[in-house]
Amino acid sequence: MTGQAFANLKLIVAGVAAALLLTACGGGDESAAAKDGGQAADGAEASGPLVLTALVWAPDWSEEMHRVADAFVRDHPDVRIDLQFMIGNSVEENLKPRAATDSLPDIISVNASPYTAELADQGMLADLGQTRAWNNLLDILQREWTAPGGRRYGIPSGIATTLIYYNRDMFERAGIAAPPVDFDAFLATGAALRKAGFTPLALSGAFPNMLGNGPFSYGFANAVAANVPDWRARIADGTLRLDNPQGISIFGRLRTLVEQKMVQADCLRAGYDATLRQFAEGRAAMTFQGTWAAGVLMHGRGMRVGVFVPPWNDRGQPSKPVIGSETGFAVAQGSSPRHREMAAQFLDFLYGPGMSIWQGKRQNIPPFRISAAEVKGDHELFALVDQMKDDAARSNAPGLYYSLLPVNTIEVLHTQLQAVLAGSTTPAQAAHALQDSIAAQAQLAGK
């Protein structure tokens, strides 16, 4: 939830979770009652309350989402919300079957990605340009969430990036004076932490969404995007080469985390929630996580927590920022006009009076020009992300936020990341498989 001032930020997406992100809570298809809830011909409403269906990606704030929905219904007693949650490893895998059958719920979580923009251009998503939330959105995010055809299709839940959160006390006890600034120094930091008796890094190996948002995105940013300025065009036309040292290093560094004993013993079984707990309970010195988890991580059990940019860069090279926007929300076009109107009102409520409900837990970085006073977060984290935005604007080559990959390629990437982490696939094989998938998807798209 998580841009670049700055026409370049529109190149990056979130994710939130991704995009961006991760450990979803329960889901399923909308009920028959929800489908019929007021959708009569020509928008005439059936008797009874208007039922809005919602399918939401809220990996660690499902309770807060229920509270927002309940508060909205109290203000609109003629409305009911059938709220369900996405499951699996990504937003896209939840959307694809519903989009294919033209059965999208009224309110859906989406990422700013080529896939979602295509849904908008196909007329499957409503234009949200008249909502208060859209008109308060940062200009750079408005550009990112506008489809090529001009439809303003979604509103992100925040500016997003992934960072290394670290336990300051553990660093001091291990004799580490400052966070590492390159990958070799990162490995040396891990060695010092192990020597001091600490687990260096909690990584969500069982949740490939975080592997994509974290190690993959920073590996791509520093090894590929830094050297291939037209990487986005090459993904689109299928000509991006990854079967080379740069592409292989993306996966090689992920494997190195295991080989150098940087990650927790149960890394391959650790899901999103488990990883958050490991860090928040003081069982790991660092974790690779998104800004969307700041509320949980910055104040775990009274710990002194710091943040730094993941140092996936080589020694002597600047670290490339990866910054974009979090998973957000869209409204389906296929509903009746009354459903679309009320769904848009719900989004305005979610980002208006309801925002303090979920921001109180998440403390992520709001995507707006002006935010309410009660919507706040950690000063150090906010300042770091501001610096990353400035760096991204100057670099003119921001790193990949992995939801910019073709939607089917994301599924291939998930499999390859976990296989490399487990040691069942080599980094070279994974890089080649990713390259092949990008080429195949471009061919299918007729590019």
Side-chain angles (χ1 to χ4, degrees):
M1 23 322 160
T2 85
Q4 306 168 17
F6 342 117
N8 294 317
L9 180 61
K10 66 180 181 179
L11 298 178
I12 315 299
V13 183
V16 102
L20 272 163
L21 335 218
L22 334 238
T23 75
C25 316
D29 293 329
E30 61 271 30
S31 65
K35 291 180 180 179
D36 296 336
Q39 297 186 42
D42 299 323
E45 304 300 340
S47 59
L50 175 73
V51 179
L52 296 177
T53 56
L55 183 62
V56 173
W57 179 265
D60 53 1
W61 56 293
S62 57
E63 179 181 348
E64 286 72 23
M65 192 67 187
H66 274 296
R67 289 169 56 199
V68 172
D70 291 345
F72 180 79
V73 168
R74 285 196 296 271
D75 287 351
H76 300 81
D78 58 336
V79 176
R80 297 291 181 269
I81 297 179
D82 179 7
L83 178 60
Q84 299 187 33
F85 295 93
M86 293 181 172
I87 59 174
N89 290 320
S90 72
V91 167
E92 289 75 17
E93 71 181 59
N94 286 269
L95 294 180
K96 283 167 54 179
R98 292 167 174 82
T101 56
D102 196 18
S103 58
L104 291 174
D106 297 308
I107 300 162
I108 48 176
S109 289
V110 295
N111 286 317
S113 68
Y115 173 72
T116 315
E118 184 177 354
L119 293 182
D121 280 344
Q122 290 172 353
M124 300 184 71
L125 302 180
D127 191 303
L128 299 177
Q130 300 307 311
T131 62
R132 291 190 302 275
W134 174 269
N135 285 289
N136 192 23
L137 200 61
L138 291 166
D139 290 346
I140 47 176
L141 296 181
Q142 286 187 348
R143 292 193 293 270
E144 187 177 347
W145 288 78
T146 300
R151 185 161 295 198
R152 298 155 291 188
Y153 63 82
I155 301 169
S157 55
I159 295 172
T161 186
T162 48
L163 302 169
I164 303 291
Y165 295 78
Y166 71 102
N167 185 314
R168 292 180 183 274
D169 292 326
M170 289 183 180
F171 268 49
E172 289 178 5
R173 288 163 61 186
I176 303 167
V181 295
D182 58 55
F183 194 72
D184 287 343
F186 184 64
L187 297 179
T189 294
L193 289 165
R194 284 197 310 276
K195 185 176 180 180
F198 302 123
T199 297
L201 179 70
L203 190 67
S204 303
F207 193 63
N209 186 301
M210 267 313 301
L211 299 178
N213 280 302
F216 174 80
S217 290
Y218 275 90
F220 190 102
N222 286 280
V224 178
N227 300 301
V228 185
D230 61 343
W231 58 267
R232 188 170 184 174
R234 289 180 179 272
I235 288 176
D237 65 21
T239 62
L240 182 67
R241 304 298 302 182
L242 294 172
D243 58 348
N244 52 34
Q246 292 74 32
I248 293 170
S249 73
I250 299 173
F251 298 94
R253 290 195 166 170
L254 179 62
R255 182 61 195 164
T256 296
L257 298 181
V258 177
E259 294 172 346
Q260 296 291 316
K261 296 181 171 56
M262 290 286 293
V263 297
Q264 73 274 39
D266 66 345
C267 173
L268 290 170
R269 299 186 302 276
Y272 179 68
D273 286 336
T275 304
L276 294 180
R277 287 195 301 271
Q278 285 173 330
F279 181 81
E281 293 173 0
R283 291 185 282 127
M286 299 182 286
T287 190
F288 207 145
Q289 261 298 344
T291 48
W292 50 85
V296 174
L297 298 176
M298 293 302 291
H299 308 288
R301 293 199 173 181
M303 296 188 307
R304 294 191 302 132
V305 177
V307 284
F308 60 90
V309 178
W312 254 237
N313 50 305
D314 290 329
R315 185 181 303 174
Q317 297 298 315
S319 176
K320 296 298 181 181
V322 175
I323 191 163
S325 57
E326 286 191 37
T327 297
F329 296 90
V331 170
Q333 178 68 26
S335 304
S336 72
R338 177 63 174 155
H339 279 71
R340 290 196 297 274
E341 176 188 354
M342 290 307 301
Q345 286 189 35
F346 175 77
L347 293 191
D348 271 337
F349 184 88
L350 176 70
Y351 288 102
M355 192 169 181
S356 61
I357 296 174
W358 52 273
Q359 179 69 359
K361 177 179 182 179
R362 304 188 76 217
Q363 297 181 28
N364 64 335
I365 301 172
F368 299 126
R369 301 185 187 100
I370 300 174
S371 297
E374 64 269 21
V375 178
K376 58 185 178 181
D378 184 86
H379 174 75
E380 180 184 355
L381 183 142
F382 276 48
L384 178 62
V385 174
D386 282 342
Q387 181 61 54
M388 293 173 70
K389 290 188 290 184
D390 291 342
D391 292 345
R394 287 193 297 269
S395 72
N396 201 36
L400 175 73
Y401 220 79
Y402 93 119
S403 28
L404 282 177
L405 292 170
V407 64
N408 291 329
T409 295
I410 290 174
E411 296 178 9
V412 172
L413 175 62
H414 282 168
T415 301
Q416 296 301 315
L417 289 169
Q418 289 185 311
V420 168
L421 201 60
S424 58
T425 293
T426 69
Q429 290 170 332
H432 199 284
L434 182 61
Q435 175 182 292
D436 286 348
S437 178
I438 290 172
Q441 292 305 306
Q443 186 175 15
L444 287 173
K447 297 182 179 180

